[in-house]
mmCIF file of all heavy atoms in Angstrom:
data_model
loop_
_atom_site.group_PDB
_atom_site.id
_atom_site.type_symbol
_atom_site.label_atom_id
_atom_site.label_comp_id
_atom_site.label_asym_id
_atom_site.label_seq_id
_atom_site.Cartn_x
_atom_site.Cartn_y
_atom_site.Cartn_z
ATOM 1 N N ALA A 12 -56.638 3.788 8.266
ATOM 2 C CA ALA A 12 -56.587 3.110 6.972
ATOM 3 C C ALA A 12 -55.822 1.803 7.138
ATOM 4 O O ALA A 12 -54.756 1.769 7.752
ATOM 5 C CB ALA A 12 -55.903 3.993 5.939
ATOM 6 N N ALA A 64 -57.015 3.986 -3.035
ATOM 7 C CA ALA A 64 -55.992 3.932 -1.983
ATOM 8 C C ALA A 64 -54.778 4.773 -2.370
ATOM 9 O O ALA A 64 -54.179 5.442 -1.516
ATOM 10 C CB ALA A 64 -55.582 2.492 -1.719
ATOM 11 N N GLN A 65 -54.412 4.761 -3.637
ATOM 12 C CA GLN A 65 -53.284 5.581 -4.099
ATOM 13 C C GLN A 65 -53.612 7.064 -3.964
ATOM 14 O O GLN A 65 -52.754 7.860 -3.558
ATOM 15 C CB GLN A 65 -52.924 5.226 -5.536
ATOM 16 C CG GLN A 65 -52.309 3.849 -5.663
ATOM 17 C CD GLN A 65 -52.127 3.409 -7.106
ATOM 18 O OE1 GLN A 65 -52.601 4.050 -8.038
ATOM 19 N NE2 GLN A 65 -51.422 2.305 -7.287
ATOM 20 N N GLU A 66 -54.846 7.447 -4.279
ATOM 21 C CA GLU A 66 -55.267 8.843 -4.112
ATOM 22 C C GLU A 66 -55.255 9.231 -2.638
ATOM 23 O O GLU A 66 -54.821 10.324 -2.277
ATOM 24 C CB GLU A 66 -56.665 9.053 -4.695
ATOM 25 C CG GLU A 66 -56.716 8.980 -6.198
ATOM 26 C CD GLU A 66 -58.121 9.175 -6.734
ATOM 27 O OE1 GLU A 66 -58.871 10.013 -6.182
ATOM 28 O OE2 GLU A 66 -58.466 8.482 -7.706
ATOM 29 N N LEU A 67 -55.733 8.336 -1.774
ATOM 30 C CA LEU A 67 -55.739 8.591 -0.339
ATOM 31 C C LEU A 67 -54.318 8.752 0.183
ATOM 32 O O LEU A 67 -54.030 9.663 0.967
ATOM 33 C CB LEU A 67 -56.452 7.450 0.402
ATOM 34 C CG LEU A 67 -56.452 7.527 1.924
ATOM 35 C CD1 LEU A 67 -57.166 8.796 2.417
ATOM 36 C CD2 LEU A 67 -57.093 6.284 2.512
ATOM 37 N N GLN A 68 -53.401 7.892 -0.269
ATOM 38 C CA GLN A 68 -52.009 7.975 0.177
ATOM 39 C C GLN A 68 -51.386 9.307 -0.249
ATOM 40 O O GLN A 68 -50.686 9.952 0.540
ATOM 41 C CB GLN A 68 -51.194 6.815 -0.391
ATOM 42 C CG GLN A 68 -49.764 6.781 0.117
ATOM 43 C CD GLN A 68 -49.688 6.524 1.607
ATOM 44 O OE1 GLN A 68 -50.256 5.550 2.085
ATOM 45 N NE2 GLN A 68 -48.991 7.353 2.338
ATOM 46 N N ALA A 69 -51.665 9.744 -1.471
ATOM 47 C CA ALA A 69 -51.145 11.034 -1.942
ATOM 48 C C ALA A 69 -51.685 12.166 -1.082
ATOM 49 O O ALA A 69 -50.947 13.089 -0.714
ATOM 50 C CB ALA A 69 -51.512 11.240 -3.410
ATOM 51 N N TYR A 70 -52.963 12.107 -0.735
ATOM 52 C CA TYR A 70 -53.572 13.119 0.133
ATOM 53 C C TYR A 70 -52.931 13.112 1.518
ATOM 54 O O TYR A 70 -52.586 14.158 2.060
ATOM 55 C CB TYR A 70 -55.084 12.880 0.244
ATOM 56 C CG TYR A 70 -55.768 13.772 1.236
ATOM 57 C CD1 TYR A 70 -56.003 15.110 0.941
ATOM 58 C CD2 TYR A 70 -56.173 13.285 2.478
ATOM 59 C CE1 TYR A 70 -56.633 15.935 1.854
ATOM 60 C CE2 TYR A 70 -56.792 14.101 3.391
ATOM 61 C CZ TYR A 70 -57.027 15.425 3.078
ATOM 62 O OH TYR A 70 -57.637 16.253 3.999
ATOM 63 N N MET A 71 -52.760 11.908 2.092
ATOM 64 C CA MET A 71 -52.180 11.813 3.434
ATOM 65 C C MET A 71 -50.726 12.304 3.440
ATOM 66 O O MET A 71 -50.284 12.875 4.434
ATOM 67 C CB MET A 71 -52.250 10.367 3.949
ATOM 68 C CG MET A 71 -53.676 9.942 4.227
ATOM 69 S SD MET A 71 -53.956 8.273 4.931
ATOM 70 C CE MET A 71 -52.548 7.329 4.588
ATOM 71 N N ASN A 72 -50.020 12.139 2.345
ATOM 72 C CA ASN A 72 -48.633 12.599 2.264
ATOM 73 C C ASN A 72 -48.514 14.125 2.292
ATOM 74 O O ASN A 72 -47.448 14.644 2.597
ATOM 75 C CB ASN A 72 -47.950 12.052 1.011
ATOM 76 C CG ASN A 72 -47.637 10.577 1.136
ATOM 77 O OD1 ASN A 72 -47.580 10.036 2.227
ATOM 78 N ND2 ASN A 72 -47.440 9.933 0.005
ATOM 79 N N THR A 73 -49.599 14.832 2.007
ATOM 80 C CA THR A 73 -49.541 16.303 2.045
ATOM 81 C C THR A 73 -49.489 16.822 3.471
ATOM 82 O O THR A 73 -49.212 17.992 3.684
ATOM 83 C CB THR A 73 -50.753 16.931 1.317
ATOM 84 O OG1 THR A 73 -51.958 16.591 2.021
ATOM 85 C CG2 THR A 73 -50.842 16.498 -0.117
ATOM 86 N N PHE A 74 -49.733 15.957 4.464
ATOM 87 C CA PHE A 74 -49.748 16.367 5.862
ATOM 88 C C PHE A 74 -48.489 15.973 6.615
ATOM 89 O O PHE A 74 -48.404 16.153 7.810
ATOM 90 C CB PHE A 74 -50.970 15.789 6.586
ATOM 91 C CG PHE A 74 -52.254 16.380 6.096
ATOM 92 C CD1 PHE A 74 -52.983 15.737 5.122
ATOM 93 C CD2 PHE A 74 -52.695 17.596 6.576
ATOM 94 C CE1 PHE A 74 -54.171 16.286 4.642
ATOM 95 C CE2 PHE A 74 -53.872 18.160 6.109
ATOM 96 C CZ PHE A 74 -54.608 17.493 5.134
ATOM 97 N N LYS A 75 -47.498 15.450 5.941
ATOM 98 C CA LYS A 75 -46.259 15.020 6.607
ATOM 99 C C LYS A 75 -45.342 16.194 6.837
ATOM 100 O O LYS A 75 -45.297 17.163 6.213
ATOM 101 C CB LYS A 75 -45.542 13.954 5.796
ATOM 102 C CG LYS A 75 -46.274 12.623 5.858
ATOM 103 C CD LYS A 75 -45.479 11.557 5.142
ATOM 104 C CE LYS A 75 -46.172 10.229 5.291
ATOM 105 N NZ LYS A 75 -45.479 9.176 4.622
#
Side-chain angles (χ1 to χ4, degrees):
Q65 291 172 351
E66 290 179 38
L67 176 61
Q68 184 65 54
Y70 173 75
M71 291 183 339
N72 287 340
T73 65
F74 292 95
K75 288 185 176 179

